[in-house]
Amino acid sequence: MISASKKINHTQVQIADVCNIGNGYAFKSPQFKNKGIPLLRISNIVNERVTFDKGTIFLDKSCLTTHKDFVVNKGDVLIALSGATTGKYGMYELDTPCLLNQRIGIIRSGKSKDLDSKFFYFYLRELKSEILRKAQGAAQPNISTKEIGQFEIPLPSLAEQQKIARVLDAADSLRQKDQQLIEKYNSLSQSLFLEMFGDPVSNPMGWDVKLLKNLSIKISSGNTPKGGSKVYVDEGISFYRSQNVWRNKIVLNDIAYIDKKTHEEMKKTSLKNRDILMTKTGRL
């Protein structure tokens, strides 16, 4: 349900003071359809945007009425509340509504006329590391919408917010274009590889096949520091987590840090130049 309103302080405010915050709903599989209203899940949040692909699940249109508290509208910000993707967020930019699945929080900035929605969306990048630090539990991080509502954000004049948002929006558009170029490059590289070497699974060219363990110096798993996220520091040695390892790239915008003592205790999992990282669970 939506949080209650509070008096606004025009210098530094809690998110709950200026935004409505709610949770998703645990829709059951018998409700799933092949068409209708899309169900927004964590996997639909990609590169800080919401997108629906071929694997999208749908619900009956009647759910817009029967579950109106879980309807997502254009301009809403969604944030993952648990698991390896905790803190992952994106803005819903489609004109048609969808419904929100469990384990995702919805933050709606329309509660206060003093807050620009795009300014808030971009400021979440600054808060992301704090949200991850706040998440409880090392193996299964999670955070509540109540805790998110307690984070503070600056609230300059509306004109200043809009000016900042315009600049960041232009920069974000360039970033999105760069991402599209990278994806095209990766697709081209894969095509060239298949043309030169053939499918590595079916092996039509008859290449010699060897076990990876016989070609590698080391194959091992990562580790979690004692104390989990509580031992993270603001500066120090980079600590890679599953949310930093994406398909064909490393994302460092929410990298965690550990001190030298913690690093020494985990030295067996230290990374070296040209090591290959692969997630074992969750998103591939």
Side-chain angles (χ1 to χ4, degrees), residues 21-244:
I21 307 173
N23 285 289
Y25 181 77
F27 290 95
K28 307 300 182 183
S29 56
Q31 297 176 273
F32 297 167
K33 308 287 184 181
N34 293 324
K35 60 181 180 179
I37 303 301
L39 177 62
L40 197 161
R41 298 177 294 170
I42 293 176
S43 59
N44 295 119
I45 304 174
V46 180
N47 293 327
E48 300 177 3
R49 294 289 191 278
V50 173
T51 180
F52 294 113
D53 53 23
K54 294 181 180 179
T56 299
I57 290 174
F58 296 90
L59 298 164
D60 191 87
K61 291 182 179 180
S62 63
C63 289
L64 291 176
T65 302
T66 58
H67 296 78
K68 61 182 179 180
D69 289 337
F70 310 101
V71 173
V72 181
N73 294 307
K74 187 173 184 179
D76 289 343
V77 173
L78 299 315
I79 184 166
L81 300 176
S82 63
T85 56
T86 298
K88 179 183 178 183
Y89 75 96
M91 176 176 279
Y92 192 71
E93 298 180 301
L94 302 179
D95 293 319
T96 54
C98 70
L99 288 153
L100 188 63
N101 200 29
Q102 63 180 337
R103 298 172 57 207
I104 305 176
I106 180 171
I107 308 174
R108 187 169 291 159
S109 58
K111 181 177 181 178
S112 170
K113 295 181 180 180
D114 296 315
L115 179 66
D116 180 81
S117 59
K118 271 295 182 77
F119 170 80
F120 172 71
Y121 163 71
F122 285 120
Y123 192 78
L124 271 181
R125 290 178 181 171
E126 300 297 319
L127 283 180
K128 193 170 182 179
S129 60
E130 293 184 42
I131 290 173
L132 291 172
R133 193 176 293 116
K134 182 74 174 179
Q136 299 298 316
Q140 184 72 8
N142 65 86
I143 192 166
S144 69
T145 51
K146 181 178 179 180
E147 289 173 315
I148 290 176
Q150 293 171 346
F151 283 102
E152 293 188 339
I153 62 173
L155 199 68
S157 69
L158 189 59
E160 186 66 21
Q161 291 178 51
Q162 292 169 341
K163 179 180 178 182
I164 293 171
R166 283 195 298 270
V167 173
L168 293 177
D169 206 19
D172 195 56
S173 295
L174 290 175
R175 183 181 69 85
Q176 292 291 331
K177 289 180 180 178
D178 287 344
Q179 182 61 35
Q180 291 173 4
L181 287 174
I182 291 172
E183 290 174 357
K184 287 182 179 179
Y185 171 78
N186 288 335
S187 178
L188 177 60
S189 297
Q190 185 177 21
S191 297
L192 290 173
F193 178 90
L194 292 174
E195 183 179 339
M196 293 175 65
F197 302 105
D199 187 335
V201 177
S202 59
N203 193 17
M205 297 187 180
W207 298 104
D208 288 342
V209 177
K210 296 185 179 180
L211 294 175
L212 189 59
K213 67 179 183 180
N214 295 330
L215 301 173
S216 306
I217 297 174
K218 181 180 181 180
I219 299 177
S220 64
S221 298
N223 198 3
T224 300
K226 293 180 180 179
S229 58
K230 294 180 181 179
V231 303
Y232 294 164
V233 295
D234 293 331
E235 295 181 356
I237 298 169
S238 300
F239 181 63
Y240 285 64
R241 297 165 294 168
S242 59
Q243 58 259 51
N244 301 118

Side-chain angles (χ1 to χ4, degrees), residues 6-18 112 114-115 152-157 161:
K6 294 182 180 180
K7 185 178 179 180
I8 297 174
N9 180 328
H10 286 275
T11 55
Q12 195 82 2
V13 299
Q14 290 189 346
I15 292 177
D17 292 343
V18 291
S112 170
D114 296 315
L115 179 66
E152 293 188 339
I153 62 173
L155 199 68
S157 69
Q161 291 178 51

Side-chain angles (χ1 to χ4, degrees), residues 241-270:
R241 297 165 294 168
S242 59
Q243 58 259 51
N244 301 118
V245 183
W246 288 75
R247 185 172 296 178
N248 298 328
K249 66 177 180 179
I250 299 294
V251 177
L252 301 178
N253 57 2
D254 62 346
I255 192 74
Y257 297 95
I258 56 176
D259 58 26
K260 289 184 178 180
K261 180 181 177 182
T262 304
H263 171 67
E264 288 298 321
E265 294 173 350
M266 303 174 62
K267 205 165 186 179
K268 290 183 179 180
T269 61
S270 294

